[in-house]
Amino acid sequence: MHHFLAKYAGAGYSISYISIMGLVDYIGVYIIAFPFFILALIGYWKLFEKAGRPGWEALIPVYSYYIILKLSGRPMWWFILLFIPVINFIFFIGVFIDFLRSYGKFTIREQVAGTLLPFIYLPKWGFDENTHYLGPSATAEFKAEHNTRSASPLIQWLAVSLISLCIVIFIRGCFIETYSIPTPSMERSLLVGDYIVANKINYGARLPVTPIAYPFANHNIEAGIKAYWDGIKWPYHRLPGFSTVKKGDVVIFNYPMDVDSPYLRPLDKGEIYIKRCEGAPSDTLSLINAQVYVNGKMSFSPHDVQMDYKVKLKGPDLNPQLLKELHISRYYADNDYLTMTPSAANTLRTYSNVESVTPVIEVKGITDNTIFPFMYPNHVLLNGKTPDYKWNVDNFGPVIIPKKGWTIKLDSMSFPIYERAIEVYESNKVKTIGNDIFINGIKTNTYTFKMNYYWVMGDNRHDSEDSRFWGFLPEDRVIGKAIFIYMSWDANASLFNKVRWDRIFHIIH
């Protein structure tokens, strides 16, 4: 822990921010979840007691499931299914419904209510004097005694599967969701093959904009077949969260360029991207020789940020094993540069056959027409052209990041930077006649923003399509915050080394 803090303190980053803000995020999740968890446990405790079991058995993980199996009358070998991914969840819902039936909850309404809202109904039934344990509901004797008209096993499991599906969709929509990392744009903070958990509570869950969609698919079921129907679209709304997007957060979002690309996807169905927030609303951001500055001050650079370096040797080629140990990569065969972190570059400089290791940085004042606002030209131009800002991927800005309620003066220099946000993201009709700007048919030289925006970048600075190329990230595209890695798979490793064990349950900073 001390080593971790020392690394970030050496980078000029606030230790208090690392320790306190990270704790706030996680404590906030637990504060929200804790009351629901406790209420459900109280319900289990009381229901166990009604069945003649000690209430404390409900508090012991795994063992409590064994007791539920026993009270429900299901065979004990089902206990093994608890440890099989995917199957365990479906079977647990089935056993849980049997558990409810053992207390006389025979109607679909009661079973759905108890399954979806256990923190309400379990304590309610636990303290209800009219609710009693009737016996193991899965047995033939119970069914005969209570004359329960059971549906066929197929119908029962279809019902269980449907309830399970509803629970999973609810959890994914409002609480957490999992994603995989397919590209190296966030290396070395996140690696290709990392599987991460995103927290949607932090910023407040975004309600569906296209509510009719195929579960567990983003925009396509397969090539050419959409996973949603855009005949119904709801306005953008977000549930209350306990935090906003902060500088340094690793943010998951829908790619904002999809809304007017050839795909014409709704805002909640764009490709899913993950980047680090480098600038918040109202910040003035610039890049000077690949270093981010916010409001005139050098910004925090993640310890694992990496970029391209030119390596000059005075001896034999570098040992491939050394490159592997230092996590140095060459991503493209036609690129002679090596990609690495600053710490790896410093280590490489100490080797006798290395003459120099120099970061590859675009020269200040040289225009790169592949970056914002040139890469995706605006629909509407003032005087039919975009001024030459002399910006490139390493020397950029300054730009002011829009904030809700901020009024900007529109002129030949500012209009190309903010036109897309005004027209596309905030749904205004924009046109120009000569030097005059018309927004929704009204001539104006100012605009007041309706949303907050962010500036995001990949930690792999020279291999990331981010805000430097497409501009500001609107708040309505934000999905959630990446919190930890639950699995990491190296597809290029040997069979017994494919799992990166050291990255499992690694907290994302």
Side-chain angles (χ1 to χ4, degrees):
M1 181 65 177
H2 293 294
H3 177 58
F4 167 76
L5 293 177
K7 289 192 293 184
Y8 281 90
Y13 196 60
S14 167
I15 291 178
S16 62
Y17 182 89
I18 288 287
S19 57
I20 295 174
M21 295 313 298
L23 284 174
V24 166
D25 290 338
Y26 292 103
I27 290 173
V29 174
Y30 291 126
I31 287 174
I32 291 174
F34 187 72
F36 300 104
F37 180 69
I38 291 299
L39 286 171
L41 280 181
I42 291 172
Y44 276 118
W45 182 299
K46 298 298 293 183
L47 291 173
F48 274 29
E49 288 183 336
K50 288 188 174 188
R53 306 293 308 189
W56 57 263
E57 290 183 331
L59 305 181
I60 304 176
V62 183
Y63 177 70
S64 60
Y65 177 73
Y66 166 79
I67 299 301
I68 290 173
L69 269 178
K70 194 170 184 178
L71 295 178
S72 303
R74 288 298 181 182
M76 289 301 103
W77 66 265
W78 277 29
F79 186 76
I80 300 172
L81 301 175
L82 179 64
F83 303 97
I84 302 177
V86 181
I87 292 177
N88 57 0
F89 183 77
I90 296 175
F91 270 81
F92 177 79
I93 298 300
V95 172
F96 182 75
I97 290 174
D98 287 336
F99 179 70
L100 297 182
R101 289 167 61 85
S102 294
Y103 290 84
K105 310 306 173 186
F106 299 123
T107 68
I108 294 294
R109 186 191 68 81
E110 289 174 319
Q111 293 167 9
V112 170
T115 305
L116 296 181
L117 302 170
F119 50 86
I120 294 176
Y121 285 93
L122 292 187
K124 175 180 181 294
W125 293 328
F127 287 98
D128 180 14
E129 295 181 356
N130 296 319
T131 298
H132 306 283
Y133 177 69
L134 305 179
S137 65
T139 62
E141 295 80 6
F142 181 95
K143 295 173 183 177
E145 180 181 352
H146 297 280
N147 193 27
T148 57
R149 298 179 180 178
S150 300
S152 68
L154 177 61
I155 297 299
Q156 287 182 340
W157 282 108
L158 283 175
V160 168
S161 300
L162 181 60
I163 293 173
S164 303
L165 179 64
C166 292
I167 293 173
V168 171
I169 291 174
F170 176 70
I171 292 173
R172 292 177 78 246
C174 296
F175 294 95
I176 60 173
E177 190 166 359
T178 60
Y179 300 92
S180 62
I181 304 299
T183 70
S185 70
M186 281 295 292
E187 291 191 357
R188 293 216 47 89
S189 301
L190 295 173
L191 306 181
V192 173
D194 281 350
Y195 291 81
I196 65 171
V197 173
N199 165 19
K200 296 186 176 182
I201 304 173
N202 207 63
Y203 308 138
R206 183 184 63 187
L207 298 181
V209 175
T210 47
I212 301 178
Y214 185 82
F216 313 121
N218 184 31
H219 49 71
N220 283 348
I221 299 175
E222 59 181 57
I225 302 177
K226 293 195 299 186
Y228 60 90
W229 180 57
D230 51 9
I232 296 177
K233 291 184 181 180
W234 291 345
Y236 161 69
H237 289 294
R238 190 178 293 276
L239 297 177
F242 58 85
S243 177
T244 57
V245 179
K246 297 181 177 65
K247 290 185 284 291
D249 286 359
V250 177
V251 182
I252 297 166
F253 58 93
N254 293 108
Y255 182 49
M257 302 305 296
D258 275 356
V259 295
D260 61 345
S261 71
Y263 302 111
L264 296 174
R265 293 172 181 146
L267 67 88
D268 61 339
K269 296 301 178 184
E271 293 287 355
I272 295 173
Y273 273 41
I274 180 167
K275 308 290 179 187
R276 189 180 299 276
C277 176
E278 297 287 350
S282 79
D283 282 343
T284 299
L285 182 141
S286 59
L287 277 85
I288 301 175
N289 294 329
Q291 172 62 52
V292 177
Y293 287 78
V294 178
N295 301 324
K297 298 180 180 179
M298 184 182 294
S299 182
F300 151 68
S301 292
H303 173 74
D304 288 328
V305 70
Q306 63 181 27
M307 58 188 298
D308 290 347
Y309 289 81
K310 184 176 182 180
V311 178
K312 187 176 181 180
L313 303 176
K314 53 184 178 183
D317 289 342
L318 295 171
N319 188 328
Q321 183 60 32
L322 172 64
L323 299 181
K324 182 178 180 180
E325 290 175 358
L326 294 178
H327 303 295
I328 297 174
S329 306
R330 177 181 280 117
Y331 287 108
Y332 306 104
D334 58 349
N335 186 350
D336 292 332
Y337 302 139
L338 296 178
T339 304
M340 66 190 87
T341 64
S343 61
N346 289 334
T347 301
L348 193 61
R349 291 187 181 101
T350 65
Y351 284 80
S352 58
N353 64 324
V354 176
E355 182 175 325
S356 63
V357 181
T358 309
V360 179
I361 297 176
E362 295 287 338
V363 178
K364 185 176 183 179
I366 301 298
T367 300
D368 181 351
N369 288 324
T370 67
I371 64 168
F372 178 75
F374 300 101
M375 185 171 182
Y376 300 99
N378 293 326
H379 301 137
V380 181
L381 299 176
L382 198 59
N383 294 317
K385 61 181 181 180
T386 301
D388 184 0
Y389 297 102
K390 300 188 182 301
W391 294 345
N392 56 55
V393 72
D394 296 316
N395 288 279
F396 189 99
V399 292
I400 301 174
I401 302 169
K403 180 179 181 179
K404 184 178 180 180
W406 174 53
T407 300
I408 183 176
K409 181 176 174 58
L410 299 174
D411 55 31
S412 60
M413 295 298 289
S414 64
F415 182 71
I417 296 172
Y418 300 102
E419 189 277 332
R420 178 177 176 79
I422 296 170
E423 181 195 17
V424 178
Y425 302 151
E426 304 208 348
S427 302
N428 294 290
K429 294 181 179 179
V430 181
K431 71 175 184 178
T432 61
I433 301 177
N435 291 320
D436 296 328
I437 301 170
F438 294 83
I439 299 178
N440 298 323
I442 300 173
K443 181 180 176 180
T444 184
N445 63 354
T446 63
Y447 181 76
T448 301
F449 286 96
K450 305 171 187 175
M451 285 194 297
N452 289 319
Y453 292 78
Y454 302 92
W455 189 270
V456 295
M457 292 171 58
D459 287 354
N460 191 353
R461 291 292 196 244
H462 289 145
D463 191 17
S464 172
E465 184 183 338
D466 49 40
S467 287
R468 292 170 295 176
F469 296 90
W470 42 259
F472 308 110
L473 171 65
E475 66 176 37
D476 60 4
R477 270 64 172 182
V478 173
I479 297 172
K481 177 180 179 180
I483 52 175
F484 69 88
I485 300 166
Y486 71 90
M487 170 56 88
S488 186
W489 182 265
D490 186 352
N492 298 318
S494 60
L495 178 62
F496 296 105
N497 294 308
K498 285 189 177 296
V499 177
R500 304 185 186 105
W501 296 103
D502 60 324
R503 296 187 63 78
I504 295 177
F505 298 120
H506 175 75
I507 295 175
I508 298 170
H509 298 285

